[in-house]
Amino acid sequence: MNLLRAASTISVLTLLSRITGLVREQLVAALFGASSLTDAFQVAFRIPNMLRRLFAEGAFSQAFVPILARTRAADGDEATHSLIDAVATVLLWALIVVCVLGVVGAPLLVWLLGAGLPADGREAAIVMTRWMFPYIGCMSLVALSAGILNTWRRFVVPAATPVLLNLSVIACAWLLLPKMEAWGWRPIYALAIGVMIGGVLQLLVQIPALRRIGALPRLGWSPSRLRTAWRHPGVKGVLGAMGPALLGVGVAQLSLVINLQIAIFVGAGAASWLTYADRLMEFPTALLGVALGAVLTPQLSAAQGRGEAAAYSAMLDWGLRMVVLLALPCAVALLVFAEPMVAVLYHRGAFTALDVDQTSTAVMGYGAGLMGLVAIKVLAPGFYAKQDMRTPVRIAVIVLVLTQLMNAALVPLLGVAGLALSIGLGALVNAGWLLRGLVKLGSYAPSPGWLGFGLRVLLASALMGGLQYLIATRLDWIALGERELLRALLMAASLAVSALLYFGVLALCGLNLRQFARRA
C-alpha cells in the first residue's frame, strides 16, 4: 500500500467534507450571526460532539483499532470477525443506555457546559441537546465501522461520510427555516434537526461498505448474546485499553469544556468566534493530521504485531516529515493571512466587521500551535500501536494544567484569542513531549537528512509568508465585501500563487517530493 496515495485519498475526501462544513458554517453565520442563540446551538452541539470524540473517535478507536489490526495480522479473519461481533454487541447496548441518560440529563449537561448562557439561550440549548443526543449513538457505530474499514485498507467511505452531516444541516437550514415559526419552534432548531438526520444517514452508508468486505457485525440483541460477547477476550482487551485512553481523551475534552465556559463569560458571541476559528483551523488538522493518523494507526499496529521495528520507525519518520512539509506553511498562512480568509468565508449577513476581527485573532492563536496539533495525530498512534495508553495520558494531564495556567495569563490580555493561543501552545508542548518519549524508548530513530530538509521548508515557508503578509495588508478585505465575487477570487488567486511559490522554492532548493511516495 502506498502511504502517500492512501493519505491523499483521505485528504481529498476530507477536503470535500470541510468545504461542505464551511458552507454550513457560512450559512449559520449569515442567518444567525454570533448571538446568544448561536452560542446555545454551539453548546448543545458540543455535548454529543464532545462525547463522540471522547468515546467513539477517541478512547474507543484508540483502543479498538490497534487490537483489531494486531488480531487480523496474527490470528486471521475468522478470529477478527468474532472480535468485531462481540465488540459491536457490547457497544450497542452501552449506547442505548448512554443515549437515554443523555436525553434525561440534558439540563445538567447544558449547565455544565453553558452556565453563562442567559435563561432564553439555556432553554433553547436544553431542547436542542435532547434532539441531538442520539447523534452520539449513530456516530459511535460509525466509528466502529471506520476502524474496521481502515484496517481492511478501505479508506473512502470513512473519509467521505462526514459530508452527509454537513449536507443535511445545510438542507434543513435552507428548507425548514421558513417553516419553524409557523410550527411554533425557534428557527435555530432547524440546525438540530439537520444534525440528527445527518447522523442517521452516516450510519446507513456504512452497511453496504461493511457487507462488501464481509465484516458487517452480527449484533446480539438478547441478554444472553450480550453476556457471551462480554466474556470475549478481545472485548476485555478493548475495555482494558479504553480506561487510560478515556482518561487521555477526557483530559482534552475537559480542556474544551473549560474553554467554552471561559468564552461564554468573555461576552456574547465569543463562543461563536472561537467555534468559527476552530472550523477554519480544522481544515489543515483534518486534511493532514486526521488523514495521517487514519493511515498510520493500523499500519503501525500491524508492524508492531509482526515485530518489524525498522518499518515502525520508518513510518513514523515519514509521517513527521509530512507534518513539517505541509503543516508549517499552513501555520504561516493562519498567522499572516487570517483576516482575508475569515472575511471571505464569513463576512456577510449578520456577521459583522467586529466578528471578523475577533475570529481572525482566534485563528492566529490556533496557527501558532498548528504544528503541534497536527503532529500529535502522528505521534500518539506511535504509543497506541504498542498499546501504551498511559504515557500520552500523563502528558495530556500535565498539558491541561499548563493550558489553563496560560488561559489565566492570556485571556485577560487577548480575550478569545488568548484561548486559542493557549490551546496551540499546549499542543506544541504535548507533541514535543510525545516525540521525546518515542525517541527515548527507541521506537523512533530519525532518518538522515532532517537538517537539510528542515532548512529548505523553513526558507520556502518564510518567502511564502512574506508574500501573504503583503497581500493581506495592502488590501481592505472588509471593504471588498461589497464586491464579494472579486474578494473570493482574490483570495483564491493569492493562495494559489502562495502554494506555487512554496513548492517552487522547494524544487529550486533540490527537494525531491517523490521521496514521500513510500510504501508500507
Side-chain angles (χ1 to χ4, degrees):
M1 181 185 72
N2 187 307
L3 293 179
L4 181 59
R5 183 178 297 121
S8 299
T9 299
I10 296 174
S11 292
V12 169
L13 293 171
T14 303
L15 176 61
L16 178 61
S17 168
R18 289 303 181 264
I19 289 173
T20 55
L22 189 57
V23 173
R24 181 191 80 196
E25 293 298 333
Q26 288 176 322
L27 186 62
V28 173
L31 292 174
F32 301 103
S35 64
S36 61
L37 281 180
T38 55
D39 286 351
F41 173 73
Q42 301 301 346
V43 168
F45 187 41
R46 181 65 60 89
I47 292 171
N49 212 31
M50 180 187 68
L51 292 174
R52 171 181 64 84
R53 292 181 178 181
L54 182 63
F55 291 103
E57 296 174 0
F60 174 74
S61 293
Q62 291 171 12
F64 175 60
V65 173
I67 292 176
L68 179 67
R70 293 184 68 172
T71 300
R72 188 169 185 237
D75 303 325
D77 284 349
E78 184 176 350
T80 306
H81 291 152
S82 175
L83 171 65
I84 291 171
D85 294 343
V87 170
T89 297
V90 173
L91 179 63
L92 175 66
W93 281 82
L95 291 173
I96 292 172
V97 174
V98 168
C99 289
V100 171
L101 291 176
V103 171
V104 173
L108 176 61
L109 292 171
V110 169
W111 177 79
L112 289 172
L113 269 74
L117 287 172
D120 189 49
R122 188 162 55 250
E123 178 188 349
I126 291 171
V127 172
M128 289 188 284
T129 298
R130 285 178 166 152
W131 287 10
M132 290 189 288
F133 206 91
Y135 173 77
I136 186 182
C138 296
M139 296 314 299
S140 297
L141 294 173
V142 169
L144 171 73
S145 172
I148 298 169
L149 292 169
N150 287 340
T151 301
W152 260 258
R153 300 179 180 179
R154 302 294 195 273
F155 301 109
V156 173
V157 171
T161 296
V163 174
L164 296 174
L165 170 67
N166 299 325
L167 294 179
S168 176
V169 173
I170 291 169
C172 287
W174 189 265
L175 299 174
L176 297 182
L177 193 62
K179 303 178 181 179
M180 299 302 287
E181 291 186 358
W183 295 344
W185 292 344
R186 299 175 188 268
I188 204 164
Y189 289 177
L191 304 180
I193 296 173
V195 168
M196 195 55 234
I197 294 174
V200 173
L201 292 176
Q202 289 180 85
L203 180 58
L204 291 177
V205 299
Q206 309 301 313
I207 296 174
L210 291 171
R211 185 177 286 125
R212 279 195 295 271
I213 62 173
L216 184 65
R218 290 171 293 183
L219 299 172
W221 293 93
S222 66
S224 61
R225 291 283 299 277
L226 174 61
R227 287 193 295 269
T228 301
W230 188 264
R231 291 192 292 266
H232 192 285
V235 171
K236 294 180 179 178
V238 171
L239 291 175
M242 275 188 69
L246 189 60
L247 179 58
V249 181
V251 167
Q253 296 305 311
L254 177 60
S255 180
L256 292 175
V257 170
I258 295 172
N259 288 340
L260 183 62
Q261 288 280 24
I262 294 173
I264 289 173
F265 281 104
V266 166
S272 297
W273 296 329
L274 191 64
T275 300
Y276 292 136
D278 182 72
R279 293 292 182 266
L280 188 53
M281 180 271 298
E282 281 185 355
F283 265 86
T285 55
L287 294 180
L288 305 177
V290 173
L292 292 172
V295 170
L296 287 175
T297 299
Q299 303 308 317
L300 288 170
S301 301
Q304 175 68 16
R306 293 190 294 264
E308 299 174 351
Y312 192 96
S313 178
M315 280 190 280
L316 283 174
D317 192 83
W318 174 84
L320 289 173
R321 289 184 187 240
M322 292 296 294
V323 170
V324 173
L325 177 70
L326 299 176
L328 182 57
C330 291
V332 171
L334 291 181
L335 284 167
V336 303
F337 208 65
E339 182 177 300
M341 289 189 288
V342 172
V344 171
L345 298 175
Y346 294 122
H347 183 224
R348 60 187 55 82
F351 202 86
T352 66
L354 173 63
D355 297 327
V356 171
D357 179 68
Q358 294 293 325
T359 304
S360 298
T361 57
V363 169
M364 295 171 69
Y366 280 129
L370 181 66
M371 289 283 291
L373 292 165
V374 176
I376 289 171
K377 303 293 186 181
V378 173
L379 294 166
F383 289 94
Y384 303 150
K386 294 178 176 292
Q387 297 186 12
D388 176 6
M389 305 292 181
R390 298 183 184 278
T391 301
V393 167
R394 287 197 297 269
I395 295 172
V397 170
I398 296 172
V399 170
L400 170 63
V401 175
L402 178 62
T403 300
Q404 299 315 316
L405 290 175
M406 288 189 289
N407 277 338
L410 295 175
V411 172
L413 296 174
L414 304 175
V416 72
L419 287 168
L421 182 58
S422 297
I423 294 171
L425 295 178
L428 287 173
V429 174
N430 196 332
W433 209 329
L434 289 171
L435 177 60
R436 178 178 177 273
L438 288 170
V439 173
K440 188 175 180 180
L441 289 171
S443 300
Y444 170 57
S447 300
W450 264 99
L451 179 59
F453 168 71
L455 290 175
R456 291 182 178 94
V457 173
L458 280 172
L459 175 62
S461 298
L463 293 175
M464 181 205 72
L467 173 64
Q468 290 184 326
Y469 178 79
L470 289 175
I471 296 172
T473 55
R474 295 298 175 87
L475 294 175
D476 188 341
W477 293 89
I478 301 296
L480 281 171
E482 298 177 359
R483 305 174 66 183
E484 195 160 328
L485 178 58
L486 174 62
R487 184 170 63 173
L489 291 174
L490 285 172
M491 187 191 76
S494 300
L495 294 177
V497 171
S498 298
L500 288 174
L501 175 62
Y502 176 72
F503 287 107
V505 171
L506 289 178
L508 290 174
C509 290
L511 183 64
N512 182 10
L513 296 178
R514 292 182 180 179
Q515 65 181 293
F516 296 100
R518 63 167 282 118
R519 299 186 66 83

XYZ file of all heavy atoms in Angstrom, residues 82 85-87 89-90 93 220 222-236:
181
model
N -14.975 -12.616 14.815
C -15.516 -12.897 16.143
C -15.324 -11.700 17.068
O -16.227 -11.335 17.836
C -14.818 -14.128 16.727
O -15.230 -14.351 18.061
N -17.885 -8.885 16.070
C -19.253 -9.164 16.528
C -19.400 -8.895 18.023
O -20.392 -8.294 18.468
C -19.617 -10.624 16.226
C -19.702 -10.917 14.735
O -19.810 -9.953 13.951
O -19.647 -12.100 14.364
N -18.418 -9.340 18.800
C -18.505 -9.169 20.252
C -18.424 -7.699 20.646
O -19.217 -7.212 21.468
C -17.390 -9.970 20.922
N -17.471 -6.973 20.067
C -17.310 -5.554 20.399
C -18.545 -4.756 19.976
O -19.026 -3.884 20.715
C -16.044 -4.986 19.734
C -15.988 -3.467 19.870
C -14.791 -5.599 20.357
N -21.637 -5.765 19.707
C -22.768 -6.074 20.580
C -22.677 -5.303 21.895
O -23.647 -4.670 22.342
C -22.820 -7.584 20.866
O -23.052 -8.277 19.637
C -23.925 -7.918 21.853
N -21.504 -5.328 22.528
C -21.323 -4.608 23.787
C -21.492 -3.099 23.562
O -22.127 -2.403 24.371
C -19.946 -4.918 24.385
C -19.673 -4.034 25.601
C -19.860 -6.393 24.773
N -25.326 -2.048 23.231
C -26.045 -1.965 24.500
C -25.590 -0.750 25.310
O -26.405 -0.073 25.959
C -25.844 -3.253 25.298
C -26.713 -4.374 24.818
C -26.480 -5.202 23.755
C -27.966 -4.776 25.376
N -27.501 -6.112 23.614
C -28.435 -5.878 24.599
C -28.730 -4.342 26.440
C -29.631 -6.525 24.870
C -29.934 -4.991 26.720
C -30.368 -6.057 25.935
N -25.860 -8.698 18.742
C -26.630 -9.523 19.666
C -27.628 -8.686 20.436
O -27.243 -7.857 21.271
N -30.141 -9.935 22.371
C -30.649 -10.596 23.573
C -29.642 -10.489 24.704
O -28.435 -10.390 24.471
C -30.939 -12.066 23.277
O -29.723 -12.755 22.986
N -30.113 -10.539 25.957
C -29.177 -10.505 27.096
C -28.168 -11.647 27.071
O -27.023 -11.475 27.490
C -30.106 -10.596 28.310
C -31.415 -10.034 27.837
C -31.517 -10.452 26.395
N -28.582 -12.832 26.584
C -27.638 -13.960 26.536
C -26.496 -13.676 25.552
O -25.335 -14.009 25.823
C -28.381 -15.236 26.134
O -28.954 -15.100 24.838
N -26.824 -13.072 24.411
C -25.773 -12.720 23.449
C -24.850 -11.651 24.038
O -23.638 -11.649 23.782
C -26.399 -12.204 22.149
C -27.133 -13.263 21.326
C -26.156 -14.154 20.578
N -25.334 -13.406 19.656
C -25.717 -13.057 18.421
N -26.922 -13.384 17.976
N -24.886 -12.399 17.625
N -25.418 -10.735 24.813
C -24.606 -9.711 25.451
C -23.633 -10.344 26.443
O -22.452 -9.971 26.494
C -25.497 -8.687 26.156
C -24.766 -7.620 26.995
C -23.844 -6.782 26.120
C -25.778 -6.731 27.719
N -24.114 -11.315 27.244
C -23.230 -11.980 28.213
C -22.098 -12.716 27.502
O -20.943 -12.686 27.943
C -24.041 -12.939 29.081
C -24.927 -12.243 30.113
C -25.461 -13.235 31.131
N -26.349 -14.213 30.498
C -27.654 -14.058 30.388
N -28.239 -12.956 30.855
N -28.407 -14.984 29.809
N -22.432 -13.377 26.393
C -21.405 -14.092 25.629
C -20.373 -13.114 25.075
O -19.166 -13.359 25.128
C -22.043 -14.884 24.478
O -22.990 -15.809 25.019
C -20.988 -15.621 23.676
N -20.855 -12.009 24.511
C -19.939 -11.005 23.958
C -19.061 -10.400 25.046
O -17.874 -10.145 24.835
C -20.741 -9.910 23.255
N -19.633 -10.183 26.215
C -18.893 -9.558 27.311
C -17.702 -10.412 27.747
O -16.684 -9.884 28.184
C -19.845 -9.334 28.476
C -19.256 -8.534 29.599
C -18.668 -8.995 30.735
C -19.188 -7.105 29.672
N -18.240 -7.966 31.517
C -18.547 -6.786 30.891
C -19.615 -6.071 28.839
C -18.318 -5.472 31.291
C -19.382 -4.770 29.240
C -18.740 -4.479 30.447
N -17.850 -11.744 27.619
C -16.783 -12.655 28.048
C -15.697 -12.838 26.990
O -14.703 -13.521 27.237
C -17.375 -14.010 28.432
C -18.220 -13.983 29.697
C -18.532 -15.390 30.178
N -19.433 -16.086 29.263
C -20.760 -16.121 29.405
N -21.317 -15.487 30.436
N -21.513 -16.768 28.548
N -15.865 -12.258 25.808
C -14.865 -12.412 24.741
C -13.558 -11.752 25.177
O -13.558 -10.605 25.656
C -15.378 -11.754 23.459
C -14.573 -12.083 22.248
N -13.340 -11.524 21.998
C -14.814 -12.937 21.202
C -12.866 -11.976 20.857
N -13.738 -12.833 20.351
N -12.418 -12.436 25.029
C -11.140 -11.842 25.471
C -10.800 -10.550 24.752
O -10.155 -9.658 25.331
C -10.113 -12.944 25.169
C -10.784 -13.857 24.182
C -12.238 -13.801 24.503
N -11.217 -10.422 23.489
C -10.946 -9.187 22.760
C -11.693 -8.006 23.343
O -11.165 -6.882 23.406
N -12.933 -8.237 23.807
C -13.709 -7.169 24.441
C -13.025 -6.719 25.721
O -12.915 -5.518 26.013
C -15.146 -7.648 24.727
C -15.894 -6.637 25.592
C -15.895 -7.877 23.417
N -12.551 -7.690 26.486
C -11.833 -7.337 27.718
C -10.577 -6.535 27.395
O -10.220 -5.597 28.118
C -11.476 -8.601 28.487
C -12.690 -9.358 29.017
C -12.288 -10.617 29.770
C -13.509 -11.347 30.304
N -13.141 -12.603 31.009
